[in-house]
Amino acid sequence: MNRDTVALVLNVLAVGLSAVALSSTYWCVGTQRILKPACTESRRTDCTVPPDMGESESDSSTGHSQYNWEMGDDRFTFRSFHAGIWISCEENITGTGERCRSFIDLAPVTQQGILWLSLVSEVLHVGLLSFSFLLMGLDFCLSGNPTCGLKLNAFAAIFSVLSGLLGMVAHMMYSQVFHVTASQGPEDWRPYCWDFGWSFYFAWASFTFCMASSVTALNSYTKTILEFNQLQKICRRYSERGLDSLPGRSCGSVQTFPDPVRGLLTCRPPADELDTASLGDECC
């Protein structure tokens, strides 16, 4: 029961982190270098045209020319951006708020197929994790039936492993697509510097919890099967000695019962009734 609880808690963490990461737009964050916009009445700093528009008009009427002496990086301004699997948003330097675009449209044509595979894998990753969570929840609801609970745990572990593998492949494919898009994407979007954001780390943390949950659930199933096999060996040793049963227990159910869990439950001998001296080589 303790292992089942730990596996369920880890699965819940994995589902929550993966859902948050999939719906967020902070997989990659950074800054973009763009040309300074034209100055307006509302924007008088970090722009290229002199802010005094009236003076500009008078100078042009007298035939005097105005020049912009900014060179190198002084001609550019930097705006922040953050991108997810679905969309990419950047700071609106000419107004307030953010401007968002579809990240699929920003990716090069050669990378759009890989990005779609990454999206499908991410959705399947969350779906299989959720299904694994439902199976573990049913295991708790059917705590009075250990046979069904053990089978549900085994299936939940299998789905968790498949989900973790899909998630790992999806994260790696997205990283590749973003690297290519950062170097070959549209000129007005290419980042000047960037790094992975908190959503990307949430996605990999979800993968870690997912695999830990599957290992914990599978350990519970394996432990019960190994105990049943060990009990079969002990019962076989008693049969070779001419004994039909262990002290206080019948071994016939262990040797003939097709379900190892119920057989184990009906034929588990008390620890103080086993002959540990003669059966020590059979015990783990």
Side-chain angles (χ1 to χ4, degrees), residues 241 274-281:
R241 296 178 179 180
L274 292 176
D275 186 0
T276 56
S278 60
L279 299 177
D281 57 337

Side-chain angles (χ1 to χ4, degrees), residues 102-205:
S102 172
F103 185 72
I104 300 177
D105 296 335
L106 294 173
V109 178
T110 57
Q111 300 296 315
Q112 288 183 358
I114 300 177
L115 183 58
W116 276 111
L117 286 176
S118 176
L119 285 170
V120 173
S121 298
E122 285 288 350
V123 173
L124 289 176
H125 167 64
V126 178
L128 289 176
L129 261 181
S130 302
F131 188 68
S132 176
F133 168 73
L134 291 178
L135 292 179
M136 291 184 181
L138 287 176
D139 178 20
F140 272 84
C141 295
L142 300 176
S143 57
N145 191 335
T147 303
C148 292
L150 196 63
K151 292 179 179 178
L152 289 173
N153 249 351
F155 281 111
I158 294 173
F159 283 114
S160 294
V161 171
L162 293 176
S163 173
L165 293 177
L166 284 173
M168 179 184 65
V169 172
H171 307 340
M172 295 175 65
M173 287 191 297
Y174 176 80
S175 301
Q176 174 191 341
V177 171
F178 191 88
H179 275 88
V180 176
T181 306
S183 60
Q184 301 179 10
E187 290 285 348
D188 64 337
W189 180 86
R190 293 181 188 177
Y192 179 72
C193 62
W194 64 275
D195 198 358
F196 293 111
W198 57 266
S199 297
F200 186 78
Y201 297 112
F202 269 29
W204 280 108

Side-chain angles (χ1 to χ4, degrees), residues 243-257:
L243 300 175
D244 294 333
S245 63
L246 293 172
R249 296 291 188 275
S250 172
C251 283
S253 60
V254 178
Q255 297 173 354
T256 61
F257 206 91

Side-chain angles (χ1 to χ4, degrees), residues 32 34 37 42-43 46 77-82 88-101:
Q32 298 167 334
I34 60 174
S42 60
R43 184 185 182 90
D46 201 17
T77 185
F78 296 90
R79 67 181 179 188
S80 60
F81 83 98
H82 52 92
S88 173
C89 298
E90 58 259 11
E91 179 186 1
N92 187 2
I93 61 175
T94 60
T96 59
E98 294 181 331
R99 185 168 66 100
C100 297
R101 290 179 282 181

